Amino acid sequence: MNKNITHIIDHFSPISLNDVDTKILLPNRIDTKFIFSSHILNHILAQLADEYQILEINNEKWQTYSTFYYDTPEKKFYFHHHQGKANRYKIRIRHYHTTKDVFFELKSKSNLSITRKKRIRLSENINYDAELPQLLKKVGIHDDLNLELSLANKFTRITLANVEKNERATIDFDLSFTKNGEEIGLPYLVICEVKTNKKFSNSTLYKVLKTQRIYPTRISKYVVGNILFDQKLKKNRFKEKMILLKKIENEYYTS
């Protein structure tokens, strides 16, 4: 993390993980994503310190995550995204480096764009692949999906909270993907996600992004990573998003 961001987030009042979980209740949350260049992240954050608190865990105001995605050999979950399937989900194992927690997570999205997440805490020394069938049953999936590790990523996250508006937002950057020993980094990209129970337009963060002409964009890290590693993968539905990513990359390297 660069020193400028560290200086800016020091101006945010901290909020604990327990307070985020108990004071901001989002049982049927609506997630709205935005993407923009990491060059303007400092400028965005500087306008939010009076409205938001920042999640602090173990005296750290940012957290590092690693995610391991599972899919079928024919990439069933990827193509559910590509087809715009109304009721779809992701299956992943996420490592929370700051707290040393590991969770198996089922993240589902309904045809009403409502996101739900079920998760099970894991110990670090179990064989994840061997335990997958039982873990799937515990979250209500009884199909024989023949899953395999498909993709991994790592990123840094800042989490902002506005208790008064019952709003939470994550800001992810320093994103990289790995697959079969190969790594692709995206230092130019910031993915911001506003999480509310209602329309996001009441969000101060959204209003700040709007002044920068940054508007909602449906994007999935899992989808982006798959496309970056396999240029032959069918991606018609995601063409505009990949063009936008390329534009952000070009601006980052030429500015």
Side-chain angles (χ1 to χ4, degrees):
M1 179 181 291
N2 69 52
K3 293 181 180 179
N4 288 334
I5 293 178
T6 303
H7 174 72
I8 290 169
I9 64 176
D10 281 343
H11 288 82
F12 284 77
S13 299
I15 186 171
S16 69
L17 182 58
N18 181 66
D19 281 346
V20 170
D21 289 342
T22 58
K23 295 182 179 180
I24 300 178
L25 303 178
L26 303 170
N28 296 311
R29 77 187 197 205
I30 298 173
D31 296 346
T32 308
K33 291 182 180 178
F34 306 82
I35 61 174
F36 54 90
S37 171
S38 57
H39 272 148
I40 63 170
L41 178 56
N42 294 350
H43 178 69
I44 298 295
L45 288 171
Q47 301 178 68
L48 301 174
D50 292 337
E51 292 276 348
Y52 294 84
Q53 294 174 277
I54 191 166
L55 176 64
E56 185 175 275
I57 301 175
N58 297 338
N59 297 316
E60 297 286 354
K61 291 183 176 178
W62 65 85
Q63 289 77 44
T64 302
Y65 292 40
S66 294
T67 313
F68 300 86
Y69 295 95
Y70 287 82
D71 207 334
T72 63
E74 62 275 14
K75 296 192 180 297
K76 178 179 180 178
F77 300 154
Y78 171 87
F79 285 107
H80 281 175
H81 274 274
H82 192 275
Q83 296 158 5
K85 191 174 186 297
N87 294 293
R88 61 181 186 266
Y89 48 80
K90 293 190 189 89
I91 292 171
R92 66 195 188 192
I93 291 173
R94 176 161 283 178
H95 290 238
Y96 296 75
H97 293 255
T98 304
T99 61
K100 310 299 183 185
D101 290 325
V102 184
F103 287 94
F104 169 81
E105 298 182 343
L106 172 71
K107 186 177 181 182
S108 62
K109 179 166 285 190
S110 74
N111 57 354
L112 298 176
S113 295
I114 293 173
T115 301
R116 293 184 175 89
K117 186 162 68 174
K118 297 179 181 178
R119 64 182 192 171
I120 300 170
R121 186 185 297 272
L122 303 176
S123 62
E124 289 189 279
N125 57 1
I126 71 168
N127 184 324
Y128 303 136
D129 293 348
E131 292 294 325
L132 266 178
Q134 292 303 315
L135 292 170
L136 290 169
K137 289 178 181 178
K138 287 180 180 180
V139 294
I141 297 178
H142 299 278
D143 300 334
D144 183 10
L145 294 174
N146 188 28
L147 296 180
E148 63 181 19
L149 179 61
S150 179
L151 181 73
N153 70 28
K154 188 175 183 179
F155 57 91
T156 301
R157 169 169 289 181
I158 294 170
T159 300
L160 303 181
N162 187 317
V163 175
E164 182 180 344
K165 293 183 179 179
N166 199 41
E167 174 194 346
R168 183 158 47 93
T170 57
I171 299 174
D172 298 343
F173 52 99
D174 289 343
L175 172 64
S176 63
F177 295 98
T178 55
K179 183 173 183 176
N180 298 328
E182 182 182 354
E183 181 175 353
I184 298 176
L186 285 72
Y188 52 86
L189 183 65
V190 177
I191 301 177
C192 174
E193 189 167 20
V194 178
K195 307 164 194 287
T196 63
N197 274 333
K198 54 187 177 181
K199 192 170 175 61
F200 59 83
S201 59
N202 190 43
S203 162
T204 299
L205 173 54
Y206 167 64
K207 293 173 183 176
V208 169
L209 293 172
K210 191 175 180 180
T211 65
Q212 299 295 311
R213 298 182 180 179
I214 299 168
Y215 301 102
T217 301
R218 292 185 177 182
I219 192 166
S220 160
K221 294 186 186 76
Y222 179 60
V223 166
V224 170
N226 271 287
I227 293 172
L228 291 175
F229 276 109
D230 186 355
Q231 295 297 315
K232 296 180 180 180
L233 199 60
K234 186 176 182 181
K235 52 184 179 289
N236 307 50
R237 185 180 179 87
F238 308 126
K239 185 176 180 179
E240 289 186 7
K241 294 178 179 63
M242 298 309 293
I243 290 173
L244 178 56
L245 286 180
K246 193 64 180 178
K247 179 182 177 183
I248 292 172
E249 180 184 10
N250 290 339
E251 289 174 353
Y252 177 85
Y253 285 112
T254 58
S255 61

